[in-house]
Amino acid sequence: MTPPYRPMSKVTAIVLAVLVVVGCSDPAEDPAAGQVGKAHSAEYPTGAEEYHGDAETAQPDVFEAHLTMVDRPAEMDRADEVGASSAAEYFLFAYTYAYGTGDTDPLRLLSGPECAFCSSAVAGANEAHQGEGYMRAGDPMITGMSVSDSAEDTEDYLVWLDVQLPQMRTFDADGEVVQIHPASEIRAGLAMLHTGEQWLVRGATFEPAS
């Protein structure tokens, strides 16, 4: 049975701005490419530490509300900047949902075939749930967003988002916390393409918030 969905929180306002093109389609040419590849390994998020605290206060129950994916927003049906920004926000929820559950389907459906960032994230989420261990995560908190037309022929819009990624926790087969991955604030840049039928992410960067 498909689990019930919950609505996605919305940014209060979308600020339309002219953005600097950052080469999202080719992470190898992006100055943040090293950070992107590092972020999407099985050790993501960086800064993870072994947990030695009281397991009684760190059970996975606090993450149970996030085991279902948020609703797909109706605005994603639009082929304009509103649709692009909604799809970008949905992508971030699919990202943390994949790491928190091992279900990468929503993330893969939004990922373009040329998006190295996306395929690395899918591989990292799958690896985090291999064997008897698993990971749990909350939802991202999006505090700001801006969107502009892309200068690339293969992309429609560039969307920048200010995001607080949630804390994530790695558990062993007994349900004990073995690592805590701290929450972090990032600036996410997504190159969005509308195929005529749906939105795809053609490339992405995650940069530490300044």
Side-chain angles (χ1 to χ4, degrees), residues 174-197:
D174 296 322
E176 299 292 333
V177 179
V178 293
Q179 281 186 319
I180 291 181
H181 312 267
S184 60
E185 294 184 359
I186 65 163
R187 178 83 161 158
L190 305 180
M192 308 298 299
L193 169 70
H194 196 274
T195 66
E197 297 180 353

Side-chain angles (χ1 to χ4, degrees), residues 79-186:
D80 57 9
E81 67 274 9
V82 174
S85 60
S86 295
E89 185 177 0
Y90 189 71
F91 178 86
L92 290 174
F93 277 81
Y95 171 81
T96 56
Y97 171 76
Y99 271 96
T101 64
D103 178 4
T104 60
D105 285 350
L107 185 62
R108 288 189 299 102
L109 289 173
L110 279 171
S111 301
E114 62 286 294
C115 181
F117 180 101
C118 305
S119 57
S120 181
V122 169
N126 285 333
E127 189 170 347
H129 291 266
Q130 284 183 346
E132 296 182 344
Y134 59 96
M135 185 179 282
R136 289 288 181 261
D139 285 336
M141 180 182 297
I142 299 173
T143 58
M145 185 187 304
S146 58
V147 58
S148 72
D149 293 336
S150 174
E152 301 292 329
D153 293 336
T154 54
E155 303 161 2
D156 292 316
Y157 296 98
L158 294 177
V159 183
W160 284 99
L161 306 99
D162 298 313
V163 187
Q164 180 172 321
L165 292 176
Q167 181 190 97
M168 300 186 186
R169 296 176 181 178
T170 300
F171 296 84
D172 62 19
D174 296 322
E176 299 292 333
V177 179
V178 293
Q179 281 186 319
I180 291 181
H181 312 267
S184 60
E185 294 184 359
I186 65 163

